[in-house]
Amino acid sequence: MLVQKYGGTSVGSIDRIKHVAEKIRAAKRAGYDLVVVVSAMAGETNRLMGLALQIAELPDEREKDVLLASGEQVSVALLSLALKELGQPARSYLGHQVRIGTDKAYGRARIKTIDSTKIHAALKAGEVVVVAGFQGVDEDDNITTLGRGGSDTSAVALAAFLNAEACEIYTDVEGVFTTDPDICPDAKKLRRISYDEMIELASAGARVLEIRSVEFAKKFSVPVHVRSTFNDVEGTWLVKEDESMDQMLVSGVSYDKNEAKITLQRVPDRPGLAAQIFGPIAAANIVVDMIIQNAGKDSTTDLTFTVSKADHKKALAIVEKMVPVLQAQGVMVDTDIAKVSVVGVGMRTHAGVAAKMFEVLAAEGINIGMISTSEIKISVVVEAKYTELAVRALHDAFIGKRGNS
């Protein structure tokens, strides 16, 4: 059994849907049972979100999920029709029909269970199963969506629950590159990358895979093959870490321009301050990325944190309500920032990566606003206008013109 996932660009037109149907039929004829996960057609989710924003600045989360989930319904129906026109039996299912059970976090729901009964019955009947990605249903039968890149998560979760041989992620790129080829022409495609490295790259802004899909893959040891819809070239495999991967100091350089920085200014410093601020933010299902606290000599502190641009208005509204309660001087917001990161399992056994990174950025006259580190990742926040320069300089310094890895 294979699980295949086709993204929005792969099914962005009727001709592309027909092309995908031919690829699926070829795999079926090669002897595979196939479960295919499909995203909405390219641009459709943004179009639907635009309609919602014409009605409400902050649309009701439940109704927004009902609206956005309709994009995948169109895709699965059209692909199933295309397969049947080729003589290949197929059956489409929405999230609630397969019963992809999630929690109640609208807009960023997490998959808890999958009922595979209908899937196995359809496969036994010789059908290709086409499942709507990005969506599920909570315990009260409310439609939920999984957030940006959620179809990746749908596909890997199905592969895990179905014990599939592999999960193939088809997209408009040929695999995972050492950085964005549009910014750095010297970017190289990686033949393999560890789950941990891909998790860090995804969290740092790499758009190839959604982070929760990689977490699923790691937890259930699902081999994931990222490859192009438009050719048959081997892509990049996500696999368990091995010794050869330690030889590469840095595997990739990524960036994220979709974050905003919020600063609470001159807050009286006292025990429990962080909990008082971040508790309500967490309760609103807003993910905080980086946090810095700068204590002053007058017993006050500036507390700065980053969230996604999509959530920054909601986070700002929460923080502004706290200003009088916390006796803060005020709140500042900066949406003109970017997070730039270097990632590599080799950092575990090599010192000096951070120092080299800071030296490279300093040589280019790039100021660092925030710093965050993990065992295999170093991230910095810089002004958005320096993003491309920072990425190219770091890629040249750490990766250069080496061949495929």
Side-chain angles (χ1 to χ4, degrees):
M1 183 191 298
L2 281 180
V3 174
Q4 296 183 338
K5 178 261 178 177
Y6 292 91
T9 54
S10 300
V11 294
S13 67
I14 294 301
D15 285 342
R16 289 188 173 185
I17 289 172
K18 289 179 178 179
H19 173 71
V20 166
E22 290 171 353
K23 288 180 74 74
I24 293 169
R25 181 178 64 170
K28 180 66 175 174
R29 287 179 172 177
Y32 287 102
D33 283 341
L34 288 172
V35 177
V36 179
V37 176
V38 185
S39 299
M41 297 173 74
E44 181 63 8
T45 301
N46 288 341
R47 185 188 73 85
L48 293 169
M49 189 63 200
L51 295 176
L53 292 174
Q54 290 180 43
I55 294 176
E57 184 178 359
L58 292 174
D60 177 84
E61 297 286 351
R62 180 188 183 278
E63 304 310 328
K64 184 174 71 175
D65 275 9
V66 173
L67 174 66
L68 297 185
S70 66
E72 280 70 24
Q73 181 168 348
V74 173
S75 297
V76 294
L78 290 175
L79 181 56
S80 296
L81 287 171
L83 285 164
K84 291 178 180 181
E85 282 298 299
L86 293 176
Q88 172 57 56
R91 185 175 297 267
S92 65
Y93 288 106
L94 303 181
H96 70 274
Q97 293 174 308
V98 175
R99 196 68 194 186
I100 298 176
T102 74
D103 60 20
K104 295 177 177 293
Y106 297 119
R108 51 173 58 83
R110 290 184 173 272
I111 295 174
K112 298 166 66 176
T113 60
I114 295 178
D115 184 347
S116 60
T117 305
K118 291 181 180 178
I119 293 175
H120 284 299
L123 292 174
K124 189 175 182 180
E127 296 175 321
V128 170
V129 176
V130 184
V131 180
F134 179 64
Q135 62 182 247
V137 61
D138 69 15
E139 61 186 20
D140 295 322
D141 293 329
N142 295 301
I143 293 174
T144 57
T145 65
L146 309 182
R148 182 182 62 81
S151 292
D152 292 342
T153 306
S154 301
V156 177
L158 279 164
F161 276 90
L162 296 170
N163 293 314
E165 180 180 324
C167 179
E168 297 182 328
I169 304 291
Y170 284 92
T171 181
D172 56 354
V173 295
E174 292 186 357
V176 180
F177 284 74
T178 51
T179 194
D180 184 348
D182 291 335
I183 288 180
C184 186
D186 292 330
K188 305 298 180 183
K189 184 175 71 179
L190 297 164
R191 288 195 294 268
R192 296 178 308 137
I193 187 170
S194 72
Y195 295 125
D196 285 340
E197 286 175 313
M198 194 65 239
I199 287 171
E200 294 287 19
L201 284 172
S203 71
R207 302 285 179 236
V208 182
L209 283 173
E210 198 275 329
I211 185 170
R212 284 185 291 173
S213 69
V214 189
E215 291 171 344
F216 253 111
K218 178 184 177 181
K219 181 177 180 180
F220 294 99
S221 298
V222 177
V224 178
H225 190 190
V226 181
R227 59 193 313 187
S228 172
T229 304
F230 308 111
N231 61 46
D232 295 323
V233 174
E234 176 119 348
T236 301
W237 282 95
L238 272 66
V239 294
K240 293 180 181 178
E241 183 180 328
D242 61 37
E243 291 181 2
S244 66
M245 293 178 177
D246 289 333
Q247 297 172 10
M248 289 195 306
L249 182 61
V250 170
S251 297
V253 180
S254 62
Y255 67 95
D256 190 354
K257 291 184 177 181
N258 293 310
E259 294 203 358
K261 182 171 67 174
I262 298 176
T263 301
L264 259 171
Q265 298 174 297
R266 297 178 66 84
V267 187
D269 197 2
R270 57 181 178 270
L273 174 63
Q276 196 172 355
I277 294 170
F278 294 113
I281 291 174
N285 290 312
I286 297 171
V287 176
V288 174
D289 184 12
M290 302 170 72
I291 303 172
I292 286 181
Q293 187 171 349
N294 295 317
K297 295 181 179 179
D298 59 352
S299 298
T300 66
T301 183
D302 288 348
L303 196 148
T304 302
F305 61 95
T306 60
V307 297
S308 70
K309 282 185 180 177
D311 284 333
H312 91 275
K313 289 184 179 179
K314 189 192 301 184
L316 180 60
I318 294 171
V319 172
E320 286 178 335
K321 290 180 181 178
M322 297 180 186
V323 169
V325 177
L326 298 173
Q327 298 178 310
Q329 188 178 79
V331 182
M332 289 180 60
V333 180
D334 186 358
T335 58
D336 193 26
I337 63 168
K339 179 174 67 174
V340 179
S341 308
V342 295
V343 175
V345 293
M347 292 186 195
R348 291 194 181 113
T349 54
H350 293 80
V353 178
K356 183 175 180 180
M357 182 179 187
F358 303 154
E359 288 171 3
V360 169
L361 295 176
E364 298 293 342
I366 301 172
N367 189 50
I368 297 172
M370 302 176 74
I371 300 170
S372 175
T373 65
S374 74
E375 192 177 23
I376 64 170
K377 180 182 73 174
I378 303 169
S379 298
V380 297
V381 168
V382 300
E383 290 183 66
K385 66 182 180 181
Y386 293 119
T387 306
E388 288 78 7
L389 176 60
V391 169
R392 283 193 293 268
L394 291 170
H395 190 272
D396 288 346
F398 285 105
I399 298 172
K401 300 180 184 296
R402 76 186 186 203
N404 284 11
S405 303

